[in-house]
Amino acid sequence: MDLRIFFRVFIVVFTFTLMSHPAKAAALHKVLLLHSYHAGYKWTDDITSAVQNEIFGKDVDLRIEYLDTKRFFSPEYLLQQKEALARKYANTYFNAVLVSDNHALNFALDFRTALFPKSPIVFCGINSFTPQMLRGQKNITGINESVGVRKTVDLMLSIHPKTKRIIVVNDESVTATALKLSFKEETKGKYPQIDWLYTENYSTEDLLDLLHSLSADDLVLLGVFFRDNNGRQFEYYESAELISKNSPVAVYSLFDFYLNHGVIGGYLTNGALQGQVAAKLVLDILDGVAADSLPVIMKSPNQYFADFSVLQRFGIDENAFPQETIFINPQPQFYKEHRLAIWATVAVILALSFLTLLLSINVVKKKKAQASLNRLTLELKERVDIRTEELHLTNKEMKRKEEQMQHLLSNLSGMVYRCKSTPEWSMMYVSEGCYNLTKYLPDELLANTIISYGALIDPRDREKISRLVAEAINSKKHFTLEYRIRCKDDTIKWVWEQGLAVYDESGKCLYIDGIITDISERKIIEQEQTRLTTAVEQTDDLIIITDSNGNIEYANPAFERVTGYSLAEVKGHNPRILKSGKQSAEFYSALWNDLKQGKVWRGRFINRRKDGTHYIAEVTISPIRDGQGELINYIGVQRDITHETELEKNLRQAQKLEAMGTLAGGIAHEINTPAQFVSTNLDFIHDSLPDLASFISKTVEIAGKDKIKELFEQYDIDYLLEELPLAVQQSSEGITQISNIVRSMKQFAHPGEENMVNADINDSLKNTATVCRNEWKYCAEMSFDLDDQLPLVPCHRSEINQVFLNIIVNAAHAIASRNGENGEKGFIAISTRHKDSHVEIAISDNGGGIADEVRERIFDPFFTTKEPGKGTGQGLSIAHSIITEKHNGTIQVDTTPGKGSTFTIALPLSDAMSG
């Protein structure tokens, strides 16, 4: 038995004896001991015992209350505790209030005015104390609590110098998280030879597997482990025994309540020492010392402890520990170790003998008092039992609701809070989600202990947020906000907040309740969507989104620019409103067949604009499916390639003309030589026929006339002499015409020209008329009125020839269409003039003319007045593009329905446009 125990027994018995005798009662000092946790929790019980021992025999009336916040914690619960204490001690003034641990201190500060406004406060067990925790309140002192990380690790390494790895066993609670941060800060850079392994994310099974795998160069340091990551709960002794029994290596700790449960020990935080020092401060205050004059004791009264029985298990010499170490469970050396206790026992026996004599004197008095006391005790017991049952039921219901609330809050994504309606947003309560959101622990934000929540709000948003919250409070409406905060690690987060003020009966705002969640990822997605939307809105490509039935839900601005339809006009309609009739039913059937099979369709459409004109679109249509694979939309992307198509057609036409020119050049080379032979021979025959005829005539004169005449008639010589010169002349003209056509074809195409050249427009018109003669010779006569002084014009000759060809052929078709098959010929008149800085070409016909209602559209792509299959609607469109875009010229039409049309082309003499 420890010496101190004997002395305590003696003092108790002696005091009880003295109390049995009537004595003049001294005025008692009332002291309230307010615990954060519950009775039966070793840390709390150690503090209670130390305080009771320290004030024993003093004139102190000690009252003890437990907030039980390890099992119940919410703003509502704390308010209920406050109300209960206010009723219980309504007429009691405490000369001092001693609070243990952070929750009790915060409770005392929050409700000090209502519960004990003038009482000095002494605190103990406050983790990492800072003056800001007192919120500027006075008449307070106490003792700081800190864990002995460095001294414990130094002790471990001095006993086990070959250690390479230390496993720190911790859970995910707020206290454990704070411990880990403190641990990392104190060991940072101090032990480079050690690998650290933290187990807060381990399940019980994973932890046991890890312990079983440890080797001789490993050690275990037990921090705070009351639940694993699966939520399995442990009492302190259960976790210590679980870890020490399954670890093949030594287990050290930071807290004394793990002793006697398999750990070796260390430089331990000790509840009894905390309570002892705090009780001494209380006694100083009761002796008249002002609390503010007693500085807060920052050095935590930790102590080296070791369990001798565990040292023996691992063969560790007790001399390896510092001299001041307190050993528990030492080897019995009875008299040597307990001689003082033995003599104390003897003294107690003697004292008891003396006390027995005194007690016998009071037996009679006590018997009389006992009867009355028994009656009162029974009555009190009945009342206590009734009240205890009521409290039990009330506590049971409160516990159930508290567990429901805690479960709900733990599953919420974000931070639930209650704060004062001040610019600093002084927090009265925050849930544990506070750490994930801000990287600050709840105790650091409560009552602005380290920083106020208002200071976390980004300065760019602070003024707007304050204004919106003030407006909501004044209008008594809830508010919803989105803004940025700066976290403890200096990261910026976007948060979403919803809150509602709570008012008293007079309408004054008491506090604000709300929830704050992290929406940073959502903001990133919104920014990406904004960029995508901007790209869709600004692109020149037409984008259409339809539902699964093909009805338009969205069309971008490019759609309106190209088609002329606004989104309001087409929304809910099918894209067939753009249908031009240029695609067959089979075309659309194949398209929908691909889409229904989930394929992406690519192709070209000729679509109709709102004004009736057509455009060519290169189209991609894709089906869109949701996460379950269900078709929800189609998206179509169209690119207007009308202009590109015209350029392609121009290029193909130019390539055809170039090929024709190349072919014509080859034909000319191949035909001209034999044609020259034929022409020369025909000339020879033509020149020789008169001599032959003269020879035959003279031969007839010399020979017998009858016989010759008979031969003449037999071979029809007179006919031959008459027709041969005519046949030779016609053959010569045909050969000349062939040469002219080949030369015109060659001049018409001009193969190989890429840049503008100075061209003879008169010659180009003649050659073009010759090339297309077969188109007009049966229906029209052609006349030329060409300016002989016409200057050369810079142009692309092959493309200008194509323009002339298109207009002449159109003129011939217009005349043929008007005159039908009556055989009547019309006329085509071609003229050129030099006017100032340009050359003017006019091509007129007396065909049917152009109706007024279509006159403005004749240069539009795909527009034609011809019957289906007889025109593409591209000829005049291409001609307009060549003249206006490539030559910077003009082309106009003057037409009278039923009388004909005149196309007038003006080409500049400057070659500024090179195409």
Side-chain angles (χ1 to χ4, degrees):
M1 183 180 293
D2 191 279
L3 176 61
R4 289 176 294 177
I5 297 175
F6 281 100
F7 277 119
R8 289 173 186 171
V9 172
F10 174 76
I11 291 170
V12 169
V13 175
F14 184 73
T15 303
F16 179 77
T17 304
L18 293 178
M19 291 174 63
S20 302
H21 293 275
K24 183 177 180 180
L28 297 178
H29 296 288
K30 290 182 173 60
V31 176
L32 174 65
L33 173 55
L34 181 62
H35 286 297
S36 293
Y37 309 133
H38 54 279
Y41 184 58
K42 188 176 185 304
W43 170 268
T44 299
D45 292 346
D46 287 348
I47 292 175
T48 301
S49 297
V51 171
Q52 289 173 329
N53 290 337
E54 194 66 32
I55 67 174
F56 186 80
K58 306 296 191 296
D59 295 331
V60 175
D61 179 8
L62 181 66
R63 310 290 180 89
I64 304 174
E65 297 290 344
Y66 301 90
L67 293 179
D68 202 7
T69 57
K70 272 200 177 295
R71 296 183 289 194
F72 307 100
F73 187 80
S74 71
E76 292 76 14
Y77 173 76
L78 294 178
L79 283 174
Q80 291 171 352
Q81 292 294 310
K82 174 251 184 182
E83 296 298 331
L85 291 176
R87 288 193 299 270
K88 187 172 183 179
Y89 299 112
N91 299 314
T92 302
Y93 170 75
F94 290 106
N95 299 98
V97 176
L98 197 162
V99 296
S100 71
D101 297 290
N102 293 65
H103 286 162
L105 176 60
N106 289 332
F107 180 88
L109 295 176
D110 285 340
F111 303 115
R112 189 178 191 183
T113 302
L115 296 178
F116 17 81
K118 296 181 180 181
S119 301
I121 296 177
V122 176
F123 60 80
C124 66
I126 303 302
N127 297 308
S128 303
F129 172 80
T130 62
Q132 290 81 2
M133 290 182 178
L134 301 183
R135 313 176 194 174
Q137 296 191 30
K138 302 297 183 182
N139 206 16
I140 304 175
T141 188
I143 180 171
N144 178 46
E145 175 198 332
S146 61
V147 291
V149 174
R150 288 283 303 279
K151 289 188 177 182
T152 299
V153 174
D154 289 342
L155 175 65
M156 295 166 66
L157 296 181
S158 68
I159 297 174
H160 310 275
K162 296 182 180 181
T163 300
K164 296 181 180 179
R165 184 173 64 160
I166 296 178
I167 288 81
V168 181
V169 179
N170 241 10
D171 60 27
E172 295 179 306
S173 65
V174 174
T175 302
T177 302
L179 175 61
K180 180 180 177 181
L181 293 175
S182 175
F183 195 98
K184 286 189 172 182
E185 184 177 346
E186 289 201 38
T187 60
K188 184 177 181 181
K190 301 296 191 304
Y191 308 99
Q193 77 277 21
I194 299 300
D195 289 330
W196 303 94
L197 176 60
Y198 299 90
T199 66
E200 61 267 21
N201 294 321
Y202 280 49
S203 65
T204 302
E205 292 72 18
D206 293 337
L207 180 59
L208 293 178
D209 289 342
L210 173 64
L211 293 173
H212 294 156
S213 69
L214 298 183
S215 58
D217 54 5
D218 291 325
L219 287 177
V220 176
L221 180 55
L222 177 56
V224 175
F225 186 71
F226 296 142
R227 66 171 180 263
D228 66 6
N229 71 338
N230 290 328
R232 180 180 174 184
Q233 300 282 343
F234 297 94
E235 292 292 338
Y236 65 90
Y237 59 85
E238 290 177 328
S239 61
E241 292 174 0
L242 175 74
I243 293 166
S244 60
K245 288 179 180 178
N246 286 279
S247 173
V249 300
V251 179
Y252 290 80
S253 67
L254 297 171
F255 299 96
D256 71 324
F257 47 74
Y258 288 127
L259 289 172
N260 262 327
H261 298 289
V263 302
I264 285 180
Y267 189 65
L268 306 183
T269 301
N270 182 269
L273 293 175
Q274 286 277 328
Q276 183 183 46
V277 174
K280 288 179 179 180
L281 291 174
V282 170
L283 293 175
D284 288 342
I285 292 172
L286 297 181
D287 286 339
V289 180
D292 286 336
S293 67
L294 296 172
V296 174
I297 300 173
M298 294 303 297
K299 183 177 180 181
S300 182
N302 298 352
Q303 174 67 46
Y304 285 104
F305 285 90
D307 189 330
F308 194 87
S309 63
V310 183
L311 295 184
Q312 287 185 315
R313 172 189 168 193
F314 288 100
I316 299 173
D317 187 354
E318 63 181 299
N319 294 319
F321 284 80
Q323 187 175 1
E324 64 270 25
T325 301
I326 296 175
F327 292 94
I328 65 171
N329 301 320
Q331 283 184 321
Q333 299 176 1
F334 192 76
Y335 180 76
K336 180 180 179 181
E337 294 185 2
H338 300 291
R339 61 181 181 274
L340 292 178
I342 293 172
W343 284 109
T345 304
V346 172
V348 169
I349 292 172
L350 293 175
L352 288 175
S353 299
F354 173 73
L355 292 174
T356 301
L357 178 61
L358 295 176
L359 289 173
S360 61
I361 299 172
N362 291 288
V363 170
V364 176
K365 295 181 180 180
K366 290 181 66 176
K367 286 182 178 180
K368 293 180 180 180
Q370 187 67 43
S372 177
L373 179 62
N374 288 340
R375 180 177 54 78
L376 293 174
T377 300
L378 289 174
E379 182 179 342
L380 179 62
K381 183 177 182 302
E382 290 178 359
R383 293 182 180 181
V384 169
D385 288 344
I386 293 172
R387 182 57 179 161
T388 300
E389 180 63 22
E390 292 175 352
L391 289 175
H392 174 71
L393 294 175
T394 301
N395 286 335
K396 185 176 181 181
E397 179 63 17
M398 288 176 60
K399 181 178 180 181
R400 184 185 65 81
K401 292 182 178 180
E402 182 66 23
E403 288 175 348
Q404 289 178 346
M405 180 62 69
Q406 291 295 338
H407 179 73
L408 176 62
L409 293 179
S410 65
N411 286 303
L412 284 177
S413 175
M415 178 182 85
V416 177
Y417 72 87
R418 170 172 287 178
C419 74
K420 298 178 181 178
S421 60
T422 61
E424 297 82 15
W425 291 34
S426 180
M427 290 294 173
M428 302 167 65
Y429 166 78
V430 291
S431 66
E432 291 194 2
C434 161
Y435 182 77
N436 289 333
L437 183 70
T438 68
K439 300 306 178 185
Y440 285 96
L441 297 171
D443 286 346
E444 294 177 316
L445 284 182
L446 284 173
N448 307 336
T449 300
I450 299 298
I451 190 172
S452 70
Y453 182 80
L456 302 184
I457 300 175
D458 193 290
R460 293 170 290 183
D461 302 327
R462 200 171 293 161
E463 181 180 350
K464 181 185 72 173
I465 296 304
S466 296
R467 175 174 50 81
L468 292 175
V469 172
E471 291 174 358
I473 292 174
N474 292 335
S475 61
K476 297 187 177 181
K477 296 180 180 178
H478 77 275
F479 58 85
T480 301
L481 310 170
E482 290 185 6
Y483 55 91
R484 291 158 287 194
I485 62 170
R486 182 177 293 277
C487 301
K488 190 175 185 180
D489 58 5
D490 278 339
T491 58
I492 299 293
K493 289 183 179 179
W494 273 97
V495 298
W496 174 89
E497 176 180 353
Q498 188 171 71
L500 181 66
V502 178
Y503 307 86
D504 62 15
E505 294 178 355
S506 65
K508 180 182 177 182
C509 178
L510 296 175
Y511 46 79
I512 300 171
D513 290 335
I515 182 171
I516 304 172
T517 60
D518 184 358
I519 59 169
S520 300
E521 291 186 5
R522 194 194 84 189
K523 280 292 183 180
I524 293 173
I525 294 172
E526 287 179 355
Q527 291 171 359
E528 292 175 351
Q529 289 177 338
T530 299
R531 286 194 292 269
L532 177 60
T533 301
T534 302
V536 169
E537 294 288 333
Q538 294 181 358
T539 183
D540 288 333
D541 290 343
L542 289 72
I543 297 178
I544 306 172
I545 299 176
T546 74
D547 60 20
S548 57
N549 295 320
N551 297 316
I552 296 174
E553 293 182 343
Y554 170 80
N556 68 340
F559 177 86
E560 182 173 355
R561 290 197 300 272
V562 174
T563 68
Y565 289 105
S566 67
L567 175 59
E569 290 176 304
V570 300
K571 193 169 184 179
H573 294 279
N574 193 281
R576 68 172 61 94
I577 63 173
L578 303 176
K579 194 172 181 180
S580 66
K582 298 291 184 179
Q583 287 80 221
S584 65
E586 291 76 12
F587 174 89
Y588 290 108
S589 176
L591 180 154
W592 280 107
N593 186 53
D594 284 351
L595 292 178
K596 289 177 180 178
Q597 294 180 30
K599 298 178 181 178
V600 176
W601 185 90
R602 294 181 177 86
R604 288 189 178 185
F605 280 138
I606 298 177
N607 282 340
R608 182 175 60 84
R609 298 184 178 91
K610 183 178 179 180
D611 61 7
T613 60
H614 293 166
Y615 69 95
I616 303 176
E618 194 168 72
V619 181
T620 300
I621 304 176
S622 306
I624 301 175
R625 300 184 183 277
D626 60 16
Q628 288 72 42
E630 293 294 327
L631 179 67
I632 57 174
N633 293 100
Y634 292 104
I635 181 169
V637 180
Q638 297 187 14
R639 184 166 174 263
D640 184 0
I641 59 169
T642 306
H643 181 68
E644 290 86 343
T645 304
E646 292 177 11
L647 294 179
E648 289 176 5
K649 190 172 289 291
N650 289 345
L651 177 61
R652 288 196 298 270
Q653 186 67 20
Q655 290 171 341
K656 289 179 182 178
L657 292 174
E658 182 177 354
M660 191 185 347
T662 303
L663 178 62
I667 292 173
H669 178 74
E670 296 297 327
I671 292 179
N672 279 342
T673 300
Q676 185 64 42
F677 289 137
V678 173
S679 178
T680 302
N681 291 334
L682 288 173
D683 290 342
F684 171 72
I685 293 171
H686 183 271
D687 294 339
S688 299
L689 280 176
D691 293 338
L692 180 59
S694 177
F695 169 75
I696 291 174
S697 296
K698 290 181 179 182
T699 300
V700 171
E701 291 177 359
I702 296 173
K705 290 184 178 180
D706 294 336
K707 185 62 174 177
I708 291 300
K709 185 177 181 180
E710 183 180 344
L711 291 173
F712 260 70
E713 291 176 354
Q714 182 180 351
Y715 293 104
D716 208 0
I717 296 300
D718 289 335
Y719 175 76
L720 293 176
L721 291 176
E722 181 180 350
E723 293 296 329
L724 276 175
L726 182 59
V728 170
Q729 181 180 355
Q730 291 176 342
S731 297
S732 296
E733 291 175 355
I735 289 296
T736 301
Q737 183 68 15
I738 291 172
S739 299
N740 289 338
I741 292 173
V742 171
R743 183 173 61 256
S744 294
M745 288 177 62
K746 185 176 180 181
Q747 292 299 318
F748 177 81
H750 297 289
E753 290 181 358
E754 294 183 1
N755 298 322
M756 283 188 174
V757 296
N758 291 324
D760 184 341
I761 293 300
N762 290 341
D763 192 38
S764 293
L765 286 165
K766 292 176 183 178
N767 288 332
T768 302
T770 299
V771 169
C772 67
R773 185 170 181 273
N774 193 60
E775 293 287 339
W776 56 263
K777 69 180 181 179
Y778 298 109
C779 63
E781 300 290 342
M782 183 172 290
S783 63
F784 291 93
D785 180 14
L786 307 178
D787 185 351
D788 294 336
Q789 303 301 317
L790 197 68
L792 298 178
V793 177
C795 65
H796 296 280
R797 283 190 295 186
S798 62
E799 295 188 4
I800 288 296
N801 288 343
Q802 183 181 356
V803 173
F804 297 158
L805 177 67
N806 288 342
I807 295 176
I808 293 172
V809 170
N810 281 349
H813 290 174
I815 293 171
S817 177
R818 179 186 179 187
N819 295 339
E821 298 180 0
N822 60 15
E824 181 181 351
K825 284 190 175 183
F827 70 84
I828 299 174
I830 302 174
S831 64
T832 58
R833 294 289 183 273
H834 177 201
K835 290 189 176 181
D836 300 326
S837 61
H838 65 277
V839 167
E840 184 178 276
I841 303 103
I843 302 175
S844 303
D845 66 73
N846 65 341
I850 301 171
D852 291 338
E853 59 269 20
V854 298
R855 183 175 178 180
E856 299 299 325
R857 298 173 56 192
I858 61 172
F859 294 116
D860 291 346
F862 309 109
F863 179 77
T864 180
T865 59
K866 298 178 183 179
E867 297 177 9
K870 293 188 177 181
T872 64
Q874 289 286 76
L876 289 179
S877 173
I878 293 172
H880 186 272
S881 175
I882 291 172
I883 296 299
T884 60
E885 296 179 16
K886 286 201 169 186
H887 293 84
N888 201 26
T890 63
I891 178 170
Q892 298 175 338
V893 60
D894 182 16
T895 181
T896 302
K899 294 185 177 181
S901 303
T902 298
F903 284 86
T904 303
I905 299 169
L907 295 175
L909 291 172
S910 169
D911 61 352
M913 290 283 292
S914 61

